[in-house]
Amino acid sequence: MFKENLYYQYQRFQEFKMKRFFDGRLAVMFHQVEENTEKWYDERYAISFSGFRRFIERLYRAGYEIVSPYELLKADSRKKVVLTFDDVFEGVYYEVYPYLKEKKIPFVVFPAVNMLSKDGYLDEKMLKKMLNEYGGCYIGAHGVSHCNLRRLTGNQSREEILVSGEILERMFGQPIEIFAYPYGSPDAVGRRERKTAGEKYRIAFGTLQTGLTPQTDFAYIPRINVNEKNHDCALPGNVL
């Protein structure tokens, strides 16, 4: 408990420091998008589809441009945001994907290998359909078994990070250049994990609740978790 509290305090300090230098670039993270609240597995990581659409509309009203993950790497004067979906629940396929495709909005999905085809999650066929139909759909690795990488041995952590991308490359026939650390907080991501991710991936996302700065490490890009309770305030000036 003491060690966990230290990590928590360290995360809060890092977020506070980064907020002072926020440069207009932002990544946001969703998990389960589901209108039926009775199906939510955890309200901290769930949002209704109607709430999701309101959040998108609010982004546009605030002057944000929704961009590809690679566009986020360019530090310029534009206010831009990347939409990411961890674990990839089935609601992303049935509700979110048709909406984003119609609106021509880019987004990134991060499936954990061992969660593919599990009840309530996307399977390989669904992901292939999205990738083949819509060029604005990007896919990244999210580990093999969705575990806390920092609690593994060096070899185990390395396998989770690198092998998960290799599996997805064989599965979908395209390079996997993006990674999202499971859990993503400093408690789950250390220098060892960042170094390993940097060997293969151009971009790796964590879960610091803040935006990017000119000094952001692309092996550990912060993302704001958006859910039903905070989607009306999860933007700079509120969360940041």
Side-chain angles (χ1 to χ4, degrees), residues 30-32 41 45 85-90 92 109-112 115-116 120-122 142 146 182:
F30 301 92
H31 288 78
Q32 187 176 23
Y41 84 107
Y45 304 106
F85 298 85
D86 284 14
D87 309 337
V88 200
F89 288 81
E90 61 184 7
V92 172
V109 291
F110 290 109
M115 296 170 75
L116 285 172
Y121 296 85
L122 268 65
H142 196 40
H146 197 284

Side-chain angles (χ1 to χ4, degrees), residues 19-121:
K19 288 173 185 177
R20 297 171 55 199
F21 302 101
F22 173 59
D23 64 11
R25 294 176 294 165
L26 188 68
V28 294
M29 170 180 61
F30 301 92
H31 288 78
Q32 187 176 23
V33 183
E34 172 60 57
E35 199 69 32
N36 184 354
T37 59
E38 294 182 358
K39 293 184 178 181
W40 288 1
Y41 84 107
D42 187 331
E43 65 178 9
R44 296 173 299 173
Y45 304 106
I47 186 171
S48 64
F49 180 56
S50 54
F52 173 77
R53 286 185 301 176
R54 289 197 298 274
F55 178 76
I56 297 299
E57 292 165 1
R58 186 164 175 267
L59 282 174
Y60 286 131
R61 288 199 302 272
Y64 279 91
E65 177 185 356
I66 303 176
V67 299
S68 77
Y70 302 111
E71 191 68 24
L72 195 69
L73 303 182
K74 303 174 185 177
D76 49 35
S77 59
R78 295 151 59 199
K79 293 172 66 176
K80 47 191 176 183
V81 59
V82 167
L83 308 180
T84 68
F85 298 85
D86 284 14
D87 309 337
V88 200
F89 288 81
E90 61 184 7
V92 172
Y93 179 79
Y94 291 113
E95 296 189 283
V96 175
Y97 168 59
Y99 170 78
L100 295 180
K101 180 184 175 186
E102 178 187 358
K103 300 292 184 181
K104 296 181 172 56
I105 296 173
F107 64 100
V108 190
V109 291
F110 290 109
V113 173
N114 286 356
M115 296 170 75
L116 285 172
S117 300
K118 285 182 63 176
D119 186 42
Y121 296 85

